[in-house]
């Protein structure tokens, strides 16, 4: 009997928590059907000093410019190179993580159940523990199955990238912004 | 009567000194870490990294019984776990690099290693619980599997949690030692400890929104990276490095000053190491290990002087050994 209860609990929680996809955002249309993870589109990141100039009172240049000193370009290239090497491999499917997490959670729940059954715990305590477990499981399942957040509104236009010999920081000169109406 | 009053006065006076010294060290470490985090990190690692590891090894030797008896399985699982997990932690990054693994494969590797670590700690806790009839740690398995689940959802956060929590384990060791040897100091110590979260909050309040650390040299980037600057991208690296350096300084202070002071053991006197009495071979092995440890400390200092960045990198890779070795000894103290 105990074994059956445990099996049902593990299966139920394992399915509820393990089927959830990681919150990795929308899959780009071009990549759908290629069997690759959407993480492929993740940007390479590198933290560099920068100066941002915003347009004031409708003034400023029409086009946004990014000035990158040549000495910082090396670091950007390195980051891009490292990122290129890190494109997803056979293990690079994020749902594997959530499935394992779900299984681990179901084992944790089963162990808790076993503990409650093995020990002579007062009915009130046992009810409270089961209610807590169900509440945590319910909230966890709901949160884990949330869809990705809506996309932020974006500005559209072109950007001019200048590579200069001068300067120590990247300069971002923000042009007049026109919001994307799509 | 007069003797007891004098003894009480001496105890009160030493207790007061202990409290003043503790608060002084904590506040000083917090101020220096917040003011010049990179410099403070460089200096503290240079001065204390090697000695603190040597003193920690010395402490662990004195806590190992001469004959293991019923503890044989416990210590074997402990030692094998330390060796296996440390080897994996050292070899895995090289393997993944050589394989040109994807970032997802790195995350998978990190999460797998973290899971093995949790299972090993849970197994040790189970063995310890069996050995001590009054301890009932049957809850350790549900908790461990919950931790494993969280680790699979946020593997890097978990790994960096370990980086930030490990320094605090030293405070736990000190608390247990005080409980065993100087019970009168324990409550004062715990009151002093209450200012640690306060100081961390102070660092957060002053630095969380501060500009990132300006240094773009290899060493600054290495220290920032070690504090998780590339993982917690919304938090100022100034705060991250300051908080990590502050906690590291506490860790060094506990192992180098507080624990030897509380246990009253003089590091070069070997009479309180039970394993030394087991046989001549054991004595020779332990003396060789301690002498080797001293040589490594000297080598570390030389390495830091020649190439600080490379030596720091090697040190923090190998330092996982002492992080893991603390676990079986801490569980034995509980």
């Amino acid at each position: 009997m105990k074994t059956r209860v445990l099996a049902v609990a593990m299966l139920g929680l394992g399915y509820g928590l393990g089927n959830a996809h990681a919150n990795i955002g929308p899959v780009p249309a071009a990549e759908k059907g290629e069997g690759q993870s959407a993480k492929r589109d993740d940007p390479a990141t590198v933290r560099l000093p920068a100066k941002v100039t915003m347009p004031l009172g409708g003034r400023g240049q029409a086009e946004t410019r990014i000035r990158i000193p040549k000495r910082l370009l090396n670091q950007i290239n390195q980051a891009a190179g490292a990122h290129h090497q890190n494109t997803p491999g056979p293990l690079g499917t994020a749902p594997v993580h959530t499935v394992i997490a779900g299984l681990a959670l179901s084992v944790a729940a089963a162990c808790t159940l076993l503990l409650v059954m093995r020990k002579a715990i007062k009915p009130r305590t046992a009810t409270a523990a089961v209610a807590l477990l169900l509440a945590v499981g319910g909230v966890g399942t709901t949160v884990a199955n949330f869809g990705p957040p809506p996309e932020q509104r974006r500005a559209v236009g072109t950007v001019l990238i200048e590579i200069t010999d001068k300067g120590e920081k990247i300069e971002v000169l923000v042009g007049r912004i026109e919001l994307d109406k799509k | 009567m007069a003797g007891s009053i004098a003894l009480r006065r001496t105890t009160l006076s030493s207790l007061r000194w202990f409290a003043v010294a503790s608060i002084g060290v904590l506040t000083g470490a917090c101020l220096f870490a917040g003011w010049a985090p990179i410099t403070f990190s460089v200096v503290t690692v240079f001065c204390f990294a090697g000695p603190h590891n040597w003193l920690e090894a010395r402490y662990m030797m004195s806590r190992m019984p001469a004959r293991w008896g019923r503890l044989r399985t416990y210590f074997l699982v402990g030692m094998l776990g330390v060796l296996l997990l440390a080897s994996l932690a050292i070899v895995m990054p090289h393997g993944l690099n050589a394989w040109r693994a994807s970032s997802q494969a790195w995350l998978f590797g990190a999460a797998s290693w973290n899971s093995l670590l949790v299972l090993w700690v849970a197994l040790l806790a189970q063995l310890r619980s069996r050995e001590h009839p009054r301890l009932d740690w049957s809850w350790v398995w549900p908790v461990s599997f919950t931790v494993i689940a969280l680790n699979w959802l946020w593997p890097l956060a978990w790994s960096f949690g370990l980086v930030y929590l490990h320094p605090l384990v030293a405070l736990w060791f000190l608390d247990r030692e005080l409980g065993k040897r100087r019970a009168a100091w324990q409550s004062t110590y715990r009151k002093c400890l209450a200012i640690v979260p306060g100081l961390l909050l102070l660092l957060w309040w002053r630095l969380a929104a501060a500009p990132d650390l300006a240094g773009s040299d290899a060493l600054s980037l290495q220290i920032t990276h070690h504090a998780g600057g590339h993982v917690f991208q919304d938090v100022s690296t100034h705060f991250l490095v300051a908080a990590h350096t502050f906690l590291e300084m506490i860790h060094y202070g506990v192992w180098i000053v507080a624990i030897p002071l509380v246990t009253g053991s003089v590091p070069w006197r070997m009479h309180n190491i039970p394993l030394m009495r087991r046989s001549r071979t054991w004595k020779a092995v332990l003396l060789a290990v301690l002498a080797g440890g001293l040589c490594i400390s000297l080598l570390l200092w030389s390495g830091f002087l020649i190439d600080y960045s490379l030596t720091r990198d090697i040190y923090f890779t190998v330092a996982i050994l002492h992080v893991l070795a603390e676990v079986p000894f801490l569980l034995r103290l509980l």
Side-chain angles (χ1 to χ4, degrees), chain A residues 47 86-89 92 101 115 119, chain B residues 101-104 136 138 212 229 233:
Chain A
R47 201 184 280 268
N86 288 338
T87 46
L115 203 68
K119 292 187 173 187
Chain B
S102 68
S103 52
Q104 287 301 313
D136 179 14
S138 40
D212 281 337
Q233 294 205 350

Side-chain angles (χ1 to χ4, degrees), chain B residues 77-133:
Chain B
V77 170
M79 279 162 59
L80 284 175
V82 169
L83 291 176
L84 181 76
L85 287 165
S87 316
L88 267 176
I90 293 166
V91 171
M92 199 169 63
H94 296 287
L96 287 168
N97 260 333
W99 184 39
R100 296 194 164 200
S102 68
S103 52
Q104 287 301 313
W106 277 88
L107 286 180
F108 192 92
S112 305
W113 189 88
N114 291 339
S115 303
L116 283 176
L117 171 67
V118 175
L119 289 175
W120 173 67
V121 174
L123 183 59
L124 281 174
Q126 170 92 17
L127 290 170
R128 168 79 178 128
S129 161
R130 270 190 206 161
E131 170 208 324
H132 206 299

Side-chain angles (χ1 to χ4, degrees), chain B residues 13 31 67 100 123 154 177 186 196 202 251 277 298:
Chain B
S13 160
L31 286 176
R67 303 270 168 202
R100 296 194 164 200
L123 183 59
W154 299 285
E177 286 296 341
Q186 202 177 25
V196 173
L202 182 73
H251 175 78
R277 295 194 289 270
L298 293 173

Side-chain angles (χ1 to χ4, degrees), chain B residues 33-333:
Chain B
W35 176 50
I38 297 281
T39 314
F40 194 53
S41 173
V42 169
V43 172
T44 50
V45 169
F46 176 85
C47 296
F48 307 127
H52 108 276
N53 280 143
W54 190 83
L55 284 162
E56 215 177 315
R58 169 74 182 75
Y59 169 84
M60 285 168 186
M61 281 178 185
S62 65
R63 292 292 165 273
M64 181 89 84
R67 303 270 168 202
W68 291 353
R70 285 188 306 138
L71 294 171
R72 189 182 157 79
T73 316
Y74 179 82
F75 279 117
L76 280 177
V77 170
M79 279 162 59
L80 284 175
V82 169
L83 291 176
L84 181 76
L85 287 165
S87 316
L88 267 176
I90 293 166
V91 171
M92 199 169 63
H94 296 287
L96 287 168
N97 260 333
W99 184 39
R100 296 194 164 200
S102 68
S103 52
Q104 287 301 313
W106 277 88
L107 286 180
F108 192 92
S112 305
W113 189 88
N114 291 339
S115 303
L116 283 176
L117 171 67
V118 175
L119 289 175
W120 173 67
V121 174
L123 183 59
L124 281 174
Q126 170 92 17
L127 290 170
R128 168 79 178 128
S129 161
R130 270 190 206 161
E131 170 208 324
H132 206 299
R134 274 185 304 168
L135 290 177
D136 179 14
W137 287 350
S138 40
W139 47 264
V140 82
W141 291 106
V143 170
S144 300
F145 280 105
T146 310
V147 169
I148 288 175
L150 293 174
N151 151 59
W152 278 94
L153 293 176
W154 299 285
L156 282 182
W158 209 97
S159 298
F160 278 94
L162 209 63
V163 168
Y164 281 85
L165 286 178
H166 161 247
L168 298 175
V169 172
L171 297 173
W172 204 350
F173 269 101
L174 181 57
D175 183 72
R176 303 312 297 173
E177 286 296 341
L178 282 171
K180 276 168 69 177
R181 292 158 201 275
R182 288 174 195 257
W185 287 20
Q186 202 177 25
S187 69
T188 309
Y189 166 72
R190 288 181 178 173
K191 280 173 198 157
C192 292
L193 272 194
I195 71 164
V196 173
L199 291 171
L200 281 171
L201 280 175
L202 182 73
L203 284 177
W204 175 265
W205 174 54
R206 299 297 301 160
L207 303 173
D212 281 337
L213 289 169
S216 55
D217 54 297
L219 181 60
S220 301
L221 289 176
Q222 185 187 15
I223 293 172
T224 312
H225 194 271
H226 187 214
H230 60 302
V231 175
F232 309 107
Q233 294 205 350
D234 296 331
V235 183
S236 164
T237 55
H238 196 144
F239 168 74
L240 290 173
V241 176
H244 183 241
T245 311
F246 167 57
L247 294 174
E248 277 290 319
M249 185 60 221
I250 296 179
H251 175 78
Y252 293 147
V254 167
W255 282 113
I256 294 174
V257 181
I259 288 185
L261 188 79
V262 170
T263 55
S265 67
V266 182
W268 52 89
R269 287 196 191 144
M270 304 295 164
H271 67 272
N272 70 340
I273 300 182
L275 270 177
M276 288 266 190
R277 295 194 289 270
R278 188 164 170 172
S279 68
R280 281 188 178 178
T281 320
W282 271 99
K283 189 175 181 177
V285 169
L286 292 180
L287 285 174
V289 169
L290 287 173
L294 274 180
C295 292
I296 292 172
S297 288
L298 293 173
L299 260 176
L300 261 181
W301 275 323
S302 318
F304 282 137
L305 287 173
I306 296 164
D307 187 340
Y308 184 88
S309 186
L310 177 70
T311 312
R312 189 185 166 105
D313 222 13
I314 295 172
Y315 170 72
F316 277 108
T317 308
V318 181
I320 190 69
L321 260 173
H322 92 281
V323 175
L324 295 168
E326 283 173 8
V327 176
F329 290 95
L330 181 62
L331 288 175
R332 285 268 299 142
L333 278 176

